[in-house]
Amino acid sequence: MAYTQTSSVASDTTAFEQLAYFALRSQPMFEMVCDVKSTNQSHPGAAVQFNIYNDLAQATGTLTENSDVTAVAMGDSTVPVTLNEYGNAVTTTAKLRGTSFLNVDADAANIIGYNMANSLDNIVHGILVAGSNVLYGGDATATGELAAGDIITAALIRKAVANARAASAPTFDGGVYVGFIHPDVSYDLRAANAVTDVIQHQIRQDAGAVRRGSIGTWNGVDFIETPRLDIGTNAGASNVDEYETIICGKQAMAKAVSRAAGFGENPSVVFGPVTDSLRRFQTVGWYHLVGYARFREASIRRIETSSSIGAN
């Protein structure tokens, strides 16, 4: 008897899910600390200059009854922010759009939209983590000295907050700073179990945070766990990986944009013109004319450590 089976006919084919999935994505978030913005700009320019007045020295001496005071000069400092062009684009062909079982145009717009947010956030990250106020784990005094055991501690967090407060760095709503911490570093911070560590506080006061596996607000910092913080591969001693934890107050970062017509604070999604003879090529992209800079170094603290689950 002859059996009609899958190898006998061509109607047995692979089915395709018509819902597209995208690469796993981390949430862009560093631009949230760019709270100094060019809102009262004199005119469009290649750069925007922000001015910060210096306070006068304290006048603690007594006045002489019959003598006038001696006037003193005011002073200031400036923070220049240079505007740069950023953008990206993809072009699809008519044949792809006409033969794909997926909605290529919609998927291209999704990919471009995330690339826009992802790229700009990474630009902010690179500037933010280059601040000059640095604390190191353990006995290290430089990145290259970090050893495998130089992990994050509650004491390092408290010291960073104390340093920021001593420098009069303004806090965000709720009287706390914002902290960005890598999941590998968060693991170490939540693993410590001394009475002054976060897990002990959560067990006594905030059991929900234990169930969620989050740090939350602790030691004066509202922590945000993110893999977007770079890892300095083999940057420490004996090929130990280096991790950066960033604690920010208000006015940590400045953002400048063009105020000319057609530009603005937010990037633009751009649909390119169809210029080929047969109108087969369609382009979608994003564009932004923007600049970022650290505004107040006193509002930024970087903690460099290793991690017990990082490479060592």
Side-chain angles (χ1 to χ4, degrees), residues 47-59:
V48 176
Q49 177 176 295
F50 295 87
N51 286 63
I52 304 173
Y53 276 117
N54 301 326
D55 279 333
L56 299 178
Q58 294 177 341

Side-chain angles (χ1 to χ4, degrees), residues 66-173:
N66 58 354
S67 298
D68 198 359
V69 297
T70 301
V72 296
M74 295 180 2
D76 67 356
S77 60
T78 62
V79 179
V81 182
T82 301
L83 274 60
N84 294 291
E85 291 184 299
Y86 300 99
N88 205 357
V90 296
T91 301
T92 59
T93 66
K95 186 173 183 180
L96 174 63
R97 295 191 301 275
T99 57
S100 175
F101 61 88
L102 294 174
N103 187 335
V104 176
D105 287 337
D107 295 341
N110 182 299
I111 290 172
I112 278 294
Y114 181 74
N115 179 258
M116 175 177 65
N118 188 32
S119 301
L120 293 171
D121 199 64
N122 191 54
I123 293 167
V124 177
H125 164 268
I127 299 170
L128 179 64
V129 300
S132 58
N133 298 312
V134 191
L135 298 172
Y136 297 94
D139 296 325
T141 58
T143 304
E145 298 176 5
L146 287 171
D150 293 338
I151 62 175
I152 194 77
T153 63
L156 275 171
I157 301 297
R158 290 194 298 270
K159 186 174 182 180
V161 169
N163 290 166
R165 288 173 175 170
S168 300
T171 58
F172 289 92
D173 294 343

